[in-house]
């Protein structure tokens, strides 16, 4: 996470060794080469994961905006960097298009183009939008929808602790109330009709856009109710974003694309093996000793 010059100073202060930033740069490249096979295994295991969380965030590389793409589960984390944010980058990385399980995300449009698997939406994002719509409209349906989602999450959390699934009648009851609330909101905020000859979709209000999302993606919003393996939020993916963002604040942008790629490979292995119970220093020591730690299958 530290700039190379500062890291060299720290090593000198702690160990009394005079290490140049150029030497550290060479060590990073060596670590990336040593850990590349482990990062590839992480990608393979994520493709087969029953639940896969995805997210993306901006990353400055050589003074230009690039994008860091993340695929993660409770036990695995994978990072990749690409000049593009959308489907081109997703396909280039080759994890999400080949996944087998449920894809959890924040409703970003390119994810819906991956229609070969089941989707689940991050309800934390939807709750924040409901709070905003309630504040600007003063209406009751956003509050009722929030209480429905939060109440369903409490019920599902209790069921998971008891290692059981919800009764199909309970699942159907939640869906009935959900559909009624969407209809209530749409009665107040109908979509604005497109004028004859007008190109593109007519601009809608914030409330109408949110209601449209609730209607079109109802199965994905409520996936956590019917499938105990699906989380209520995309917190796994969002947590993975935070530490690289901290690094960027501390050290600034990556000067080269190769440096960003080195970071992604090394960070993928460190975060994954941390999740699997290993200390980060141990991971690096084993890597440089030529005996990388094996992943838990």
């Amino acid at each position: 996470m530290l700039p190379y010059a500062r890291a060299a100073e720290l090593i000198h202060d702690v160990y009394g060794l005079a290490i140049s930033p150029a030497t550290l740069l060479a060590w990073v490249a060596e670590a990336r080469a040593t850990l590349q096979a482990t990062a590839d295994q992480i990608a393979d295991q994520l493709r087969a994961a029953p639940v896969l969380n995805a997210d993306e965030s901006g990353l400055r590389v050589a003074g230009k905006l690039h994008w860091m793409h993340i695929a993660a589960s409770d036990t695995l984390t994978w990072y990749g960097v690409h000049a593009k944010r959308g489907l081109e980058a997703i396909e280039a990385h080759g994890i999400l298009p080949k996944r087998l399980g449920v894809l959890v995300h924040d409703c970003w449009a390119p994810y819906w183009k991956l229609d070969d698997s089941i989707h689940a939406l991050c309800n934390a994002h939807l709750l924040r939008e409901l709070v905003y719509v309630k504040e600007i409209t003063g209406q009751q349906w956003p509050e009722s929808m929030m209480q429905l989602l939060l109440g369903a999450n409490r019920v599902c959390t209790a069921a998971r602790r008891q290692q059981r699934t919800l009764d199909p009648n309970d699942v159907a009851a939640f869906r009935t109330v959900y559909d009624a609330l969407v209809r209530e909101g749409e009665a107040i905020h109908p979509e604005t009709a497109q004028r004859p000859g007008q190109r593109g979709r007519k601009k809608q209000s914030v409330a109408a856009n949110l209601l449209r999302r609730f209607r079109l993606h109802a199965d994905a919003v409520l996936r956590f109710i019917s499938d105990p393996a699906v989380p209520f939020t995309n917190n796994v993916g969002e947590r993975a974003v935070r530490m690289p963002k901290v690094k960027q604040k501390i050290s600034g942008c990556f000067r080269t694309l190769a440096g960003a790629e080195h970071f992604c490979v090394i960070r993928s292995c460190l975060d994954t093996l941390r999740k699997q119970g290993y200390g980060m220093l141990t991971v690096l020591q084993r890597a440089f000793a030529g005996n990388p730690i094996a992943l838990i299958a």
Side-chain angles (χ1 to χ4, degrees):
M1 297 299 165
L2 296 176
Y4 287 116
R6 191 171 299 173
E9 291 177 4
L10 179 63
I11 291 172
H12 182 269
D13 290 342
V14 174
Y15 297 106
L17 298 174
I19 302 296
S20 71
T23 299
L24 289 178
L25 185 61
W27 286 354
V28 167
E30 182 181 347
R32 184 263 174 93
T34 304
L35 292 170
Q36 182 65 61
T38 302
D40 293 341
Q41 291 174 17
I42 292 169
D44 288 340
Q45 290 191 18
L46 282 169
R47 293 185 188 101
V51 176
L52 193 160
N53 299 71
D55 205 350
E56 76 292 326
S57 181
L59 197 68
R60 301 296 297 183
V61 179
K64 297 181 180 179
L65 179 62
H66 284 60
W67 294 92
M68 179 177 61
H69 294 258
I70 294 160
S73 70
D74 288 337
T75 59
L76 301 161
T77 306
W78 181 92
Y79 295 91
V81 63
H82 198 278
K84 302 290 186 178
R85 185 186 182 192
L87 190 61
E88 180 182 339
I90 292 172
E91 291 178 338
H93 291 146
I95 296 178
L96 304 190
K98 299 178 181 178
R99 75 203 178 283
L100 300 178
V102 177
L103 180 63
V104 183
H105 56 85
D106 58 5
C107 207
W108 183 44
Y111 293 134
W112 294 109
K113 297 179 181 179
L114 302 169
D115 57 0
D116 57 342
S117 186
I118 300 172
H119 295 255
L121 290 184
C122 174
N123 281 283
H125 282 77
L126 296 174
L127 289 172
R128 288 194 290 268
E129 293 186 67
L130 285 166
V131 168
Y132 178 65
V133 171
K134 178 187 175 183
E135 290 175 349
I136 63 175
T137 66
Q139 295 161 359
Q140 179 57 38
W141 68 267
E143 175 66 25
S144 298
M145 182 64 82
M146 282 190 284
Q147 294 306 317
L148 173 68
L149 295 174
L150 291 170
N153 184 43
R154 287 192 293 270
V155 171
C156 292
T157 299
R160 290 189 191 98
R161 288 174 182 158
Q162 299 169 7
Q163 297 184 336
R164 64 179 179 85
T165 58
L166 292 191
D167 184 273
N169 292 329
D170 294 331
V171 175
F174 279 121
R175 179 60 183 265
T176 298
V177 177
Y178 175 94
D179 289 339
L181 289 172
V182 173
R183 288 194 298 270
E184 178 184 337
E186 288 182 325
I188 303 171
H189 301 281
E191 290 195 11
T192 304
Q194 189 175 18
R195 294 193 300 270
Q198 183 181 17
R199 292 186 177 183
R201 184 168 169 262
K202 178 73 174 179
K203 185 177 180 179
Q204 307 293 328
S205 68
V206 173
N209 281 328
L210 179 58
L211 286 161
R212 184 174 188 269
R213 202 175 318 143
F214 276 124
R215 175 168 46 83
L216 291 178
H217 304 307
D219 289 340
V221 173
L222 300 177
R223 186 78 58 199
F224 72 97
I225 298 177
S226 57
D227 187 345
V230 174
F232 183 66
T233 72
N234 190 29
N235 192 41
V236 169
E238 293 180 358
R239 275 204 315 265
V241 171
R242 290 172 195 150
M243 194 58 72
K245 298 300 285 185
V246 169
K247 176 197 166 39
Q248 191 166 225
K249 288 180 180 179
I250 295 172
S251 302
C253 70
F254 290 96
R255 294 187 179 182
T256 65
L257 180 58
E261 291 171 342
H262 294 344
F263 174 84
C264 286
V265 169
I266 296 169
R267 186 68 196 173
S268 296
C269 299
L270 290 179
D271 199 49
T272 293
L273 290 165
R274 177 192 60 79
K275 289 179 176 180
Q276 298 186 7
Y278 295 95
M280 294 189 179
L281 184 58
T282 301
V283 174
L284 291 174
Q285 287 172 331
R286 288 275 299 272
F288 280 107
N291 183 29
I293 297 173
L295 298 177
I296 298 174

